[in-house]
Amino acid sequence: MTASDLTDLLAGRWGWVREEARSTFPDSLFRTDPHAPLDAYRDEVLDVVRELAATGATAHGFPRSVGGGGDVGASVVQFEMLGYGDLSVMIKSGVHFGLYGGAVQSLGSDDHHRRFLPPALAMETVGCFAMTETGHGSDVASLETTAVYDPEAQEFLLSTPHDGARKDYIGGAARHARVAAVFAQLVTGGPAEEPVGRGVHCLVVPLRDERGDLLPGVEVEDDGAKAGLNGVDNGRIRFTGVRVPREDLLDRFAQVAPDGTYSSSIASPSRRFFTTLGALVRGRVCVAAGAGAATQAALAVAVRYGLTRRQFARPGADGTSEEVVLLDHRAHQRRLLPALATSYVLQLAQNELTARLHDLQTAAGGVADADQRDLENRAAGVKAVATWHATSTIQTCREACGGAGYLAVNRLPQLKADTDVFTTFEGDNTVLLQLVGKGLLAAYAEDFGEKGTWGTVRAVVDQLADHVAERTTARVTLQRLREAAPGRDDADLRDRGWQMRLLVEREAHLLVGVARRLRRASAPGADAGAVFDDAQDHLLAAARAHVDRVVVEALVAAEDACEDDAVAELLARVGDLHVLSTIERDRAWYLEHGWLTPGRSKAVVAAVNEVCGELRPDARLLVDGFGIPERWVTAPIAHDGVAQPTHGDATTTTGDQGAPAGGDAAPADERVPVQAG
């Protein structure tokens, strides 16, 4: 087995996009200078995005009618691959092509595509996505920017009523963007009716002229330096009576006639609003994908360093004994290997999510509401879990590399700073899990109504088991899933059926429990808001349990599909480490509910240690399996284990960082496996 076998396992349906990226991404993507003066760095990042656009890869997801590839999945994977380089480039590209271009594509008509997309693809104009306001981010329905229709001029008057309604944190607004997709409260009425609010709609609004000067009525303020992603020029925008032609309202779901008459094929305002936001779900899928790539980049550095850096002799050894490689210490294995396993499993789940997005957004004849809701909930949940995993894992990688991990040259501080906001943009993670939880409750109410609590738990368990059965051919595993019983000490901890049963039981109990608590809101005299607030922690736990189960389902599907025995055996151990670590994290709950005895709980901890030891010899193979080309791994400690000087100083590094630095980076045969041992 080689690293390329694992790379193929993780490639998914769009492996060709990954190979294209490895061969065509410019070296400048990995050689930017985040510590340059702010405007110089921003301009450098824009230049790299232009280089990427020149390759044609940034057009994968756009309609063929405007020069794109018509391949939604390819566009997500292309964005994901940018996560191995400068994340400011990834986000700058995502804002322009994914958010601005995606809004035009998803919310606009063929006429909008024809007018706005070709110049965007050629980067003749740079766009931004103006949704978030200073006063409202997660609560998009309450945005306060207004677009009031003037039937005499056949224009919308775009206005910012107060500072809380200014568009804020808008990537591209401060320096480069010349046009924006602006979300505003639409106000219009027909000849026989008074103007009324129609809810949030999107308009294409010019910000700057060809010289880059702001247009009349547009004010922009630079958000300034941030904790990370400083290559993205975030800014605040105010509009004062800016006139926008009627034709520049993105009107796929709602139209305004010349006389102001409003019409929509979606009668319900709330459903129209959620349909509009649902059309933009690709952004969340992309953020989860990019977070995964950045996490893998950090793990590649930390694991490779942990295989060369030595610290502490074995207890009882004489003074001449060689110090121990870091990754031979159990504590160090515990830091990195469960995170490495989770990154593998999340990649499999991400691949499934990307495929689902592609299939639904390219389906002929429309998409069922239930399928769209499932996609939105899955995207929200995976985005939350993947970005939290990125935040915690990159921090762990930084700590695991000690002082070397704190040096900018070794990339980990920049990865840490740049990914921190991933838990916030494209939806705050806690709010996204609430969305997932509400979706679960809606489905629960539809399926089970007012059945008794215990009977419903059993019914939910059976339903989830049937769902797993539809996705796998591993009948023995499913039999174990159905037969697993609480509190038994003889179950095989590595049996995937037993593991899945624990995940299913936790999800079912939490879902039924929170549904029971929220029923109190309908009681006479109940304060519904207080009841919901009181149960939010329970709702979030149910949502997280659901995502945990969905992610492991992707693992089970990949295991069933794997035809290489050696790869399957390694994947099984990786899967065991991920699932057992998840159970270990929640073992208090399993103890409280009788699914683990105290002795069994201790056995789970011991099993995590055991699998860490088993995977230790394959650690380098596993990080090489991410398929990151050697020339993209720019951290010196990933090559020789020693922190290099940062300013071209040729002197060697000594002292606490270990032996002197020496030699060039590893050879450029990127995918040759190195078996650690």
Side-chain angles (χ1 to χ4, degrees):
M1 177 173 52
T2 67
S4 61
D5 294 323
L6 297 177
T7 304
D8 292 341
L9 170 74
L10 298 178
R13 278 166 57 179
W14 287 272
W16 65 270
V17 178
R18 301 181 191 279
E19 290 300 330
E20 176 187 78
R22 293 180 184 113
S23 62
T24 63
F25 275 0
D27 288 343
S28 55
L29 175 62
F30 309 92
R31 305 292 178 185
T32 53
D33 183 7
H35 306 288
L38 191 59
D39 285 342
Y41 179 38
R42 290 169 169 179
D43 291 346
E44 182 184 15
V45 164
L46 180 63
D47 288 342
V48 178
V49 176
R50 292 189 186 279
E51 287 187 71
L52 288 165
T55 70
T58 51
H60 281 316
F62 290 99
R64 290 186 174 89
S65 60
V66 297
D71 194 328
V72 172
S75 70
V76 174
V77 174
Q78 189 268 345
F79 180 90
E80 177 184 331
M81 295 298 288
L82 293 175
Y84 295 117
D86 185 332
L87 298 187
S88 283
V89 175
M90 183 183 78
I91 298 303
K92 184 78 168 181
S93 176
V95 166
H96 173 68
F97 294 105
L99 293 181
Y100 168 71
V104 173
Q105 179 182 352
S106 298
L107 304 179
S109 64
D110 289 342
D111 175 66
H112 295 123
H113 296 174
R114 176 183 56 78
R115 289 194 287 130
F116 297 125
L117 290 180
L121 293 181
M123 293 203 70
E124 295 167 3
T125 183
V126 176
C128 66
F129 184 82
M131 177 183 280
T132 297
E133 296 176 357
T134 303
H136 290 96
S138 298
D139 186 5
V140 176
S142 297
L143 297 178
E144 296 179 88
T145 300
T146 58
V148 180
Y149 186 64
D150 176 0
E152 292 186 4
Q154 295 191 26
E155 294 173 330
F156 295 96
L157 271 70
L158 194 66
S159 299
T160 302
H162 55 81
D163 278 353
R166 64 191 175 185
K167 297 299 179 181
D168 212 344
Y169 322 118
I170 309 303
R175 186 171 177 85
H176 295 138
R178 293 190 178 181
V179 64
V182 178
F183 289 78
Q185 299 287 351
L186 195 70
V187 180
T188 185
E193 60 179 341
E194 291 294 318
V196 296
R198 306 292 184 173
V200 174
H201 292 63
C202 186
L203 307 91
V204 176
V205 182
L207 301 179
R208 294 176 170 90
D209 62 21
E210 293 181 356
R211 296 185 305 274
D213 297 328
L214 290 171
L215 295 171
V218 178
E219 300 175 56
V220 171
E221 178 184 348
D222 197 323
D223 276 320
K226 308 180 294 292
L229 297 177
N230 280 307
V232 182
D233 49 321
N234 295 79
R236 303 183 179 99
I237 313 173
R238 296 180 184 85
F239 302 102
T240 305
V242 173
R243 290 189 170 270
V244 182
R246 179 183 66 87
E247 294 81 8
D248 291 352
L249 170 70
L250 297 180
D251 59 359
R252 177 182 174 188
F253 299 116
Q255 301 78 40
V256 174
D259 65 2
T261 300
Y262 180 86
S263 61
S264 174
S265 59
I266 306 173
S268 166
S270 62
R271 185 181 175 198
R272 184 165 57 246
F273 170 74
F274 285 111
T275 300
T276 298
L277 294 190
L280 304 174
V281 69
R282 194 186 309 180
R284 285 176 183 162
V285 178
C286 284
V287 168
T295 308
Q296 292 171 16
L299 283 165
V301 173
V303 169
R304 289 167 66 150
Y305 183 65
L307 290 168
T308 57
R309 176 80 158 101
R310 294 178 178 272
Q311 195 75 274
F312 301 111
R314 292 287 183 195
D318 60 41
T320 63
S321 298
E322 188 174 36
E323 292 178 311
V324 178
V325 170
L326 283 181
L327 206 57
D328 283 344
H329 292 291
R330 179 53 50 79
H332 209 74
Q333 294 171 10
R334 272 279 193 161
R335 287 171 123 177
L336 296 178
L337 297 186
L340 176 58
T342 295
S343 287
Y344 260 73
V345 177
L346 284 175
Q347 181 67 64
L348 299 172
Q350 177 66 42
N351 291 347
E352 280 199 352
L353 177 60
T354 299
R356 186 172 300 224
L357 171 77
H358 174 87
D359 291 344
L360 291 183
Q361 293 199 342
T362 59
V367 175
D369 288 346
D371 290 337
Q372 180 65 29
R373 288 195 302 270
D374 178 73
L375 171 65
E376 292 167 10
N377 284 344
R378 191 173 293 245
V382 172
K383 185 268 182 184
V385 169
T387 55
W388 271 327
H389 175 65
T391 296
S392 62
T393 299
I394 294 171
Q395 173 65 23
T396 297
C397 289
R398 206 292 301 153
E399 293 179 19
C401 294
Y406 201 59
L407 297 181
V409 71
N410 289 318
R411 283 208 69 199
L412 295 174
Q414 196 66 49
L415 285 170
K416 181 175 180 291
D418 287 346
T419 56
D420 190 60
V421 76
F422 283 28
T423 61
T424 299
F425 62 25
E426 286 297 319
D428 174 89
N429 282 359
T430 298
V431 175
L432 290 182
L433 281 190
Q434 288 180 346
L435 174 67
V436 173
K438 289 177 181 178
L440 294 174
L441 287 172
Y444 169 84
E446 183 177 328
D447 291 341
F448 299 106
E450 298 296 323
K451 290 182 180 179
T453 300
W454 176 250
T456 303
V457 170
R458 302 274 61 77
V460 173
V461 168
D462 289 342
Q463 183 188 66
L464 295 178
D466 289 342
H467 176 76
V468 174
E470 293 174 359
R471 305 198 57 211
T472 179
T473 59
R475 311 310 302 177
V476 174
T477 297
L478 288 168
Q479 183 179 356
R480 287 290 298 120
L481 189 153
R482 296 179 186 281
E483 293 176 350
R488 288 177 55 183
D489 283 346
D490 60 344
D492 180 1
L493 291 177
R494 301 201 192 189
D495 182 273
R496 196 72 79 229
W498 178 81
Q499 295 169 356
M500 281 293 297
R501 181 61 183 268
L502 262 65
L503 297 178
V504 164
E505 285 287 341
R506 177 167 161 78
E507 179 183 352
H509 275 82
L510 288 167
L511 176 59
V512 173
V514 73
R516 184 177 69 248
R517 290 179 67 180
L518 291 177
R519 279 200 200 104
R520 300 171 188 166
S522 60
D527 183 337
V531 171
F532 183 80
D533 282 344
D534 187 53
Q536 278 191 345
D537 58 333
H538 199 154
L539 180 69
L540 291 170
R544 179 60 191 262
H546 169 75
V547 179
D548 288 341
R549 190 259 303 170
V550 166
V551 167
V552 176
E553 275 190 11
L555 165 68
V556 173
E559 289 175 324
D560 281 349
C562 186
E563 297 179 352
D564 184 306
D565 290 343
V567 172
E569 190 276 332
L570 181 57
L571 179 61
R573 285 185 283 131
V574 167
D576 284 336
L577 184 53
H578 167 75
V579 182
L580 290 170
S581 296
T582 301
I583 294 170
E584 181 186 44
R585 180 195 70 201
D586 296 319
R587 60 195 175 110
W589 186 92
Y590 290 114
L591 279 164
E592 291 171 352
H593 291 78
W595 276 92
L596 292 177
T597 64
R600 201 63 171 162
S601 177
K602 294 177 182 178
V604 169
V605 177
V608 171
N609 286 338
E610 182 179 60
V611 184
C612 281
E614 292 175 7
L615 286 178
R616 155 64 183 89
D618 295 308
R620 177 63 189 264
L621 179 67
L622 286 167
V623 293
D624 286 352
F626 290 141
I628 308 173
E630 196 70 23
R631 66 185 182 279
W632 292 5
V633 184
T634 58
I637 58 170
H639 299 290
D640 54 29
V642 179
Q644 302 277 4
T646 61
H647 299 294
D649 185 352
T651 58
T652 56
T653 306
T654 57
D656 188 56
Q657 294 305 323
D664 296 325
D669 186 4
E670 299 97 335
R671 299 176 64 184
V672 174
V674 177
Q675 183 80 19

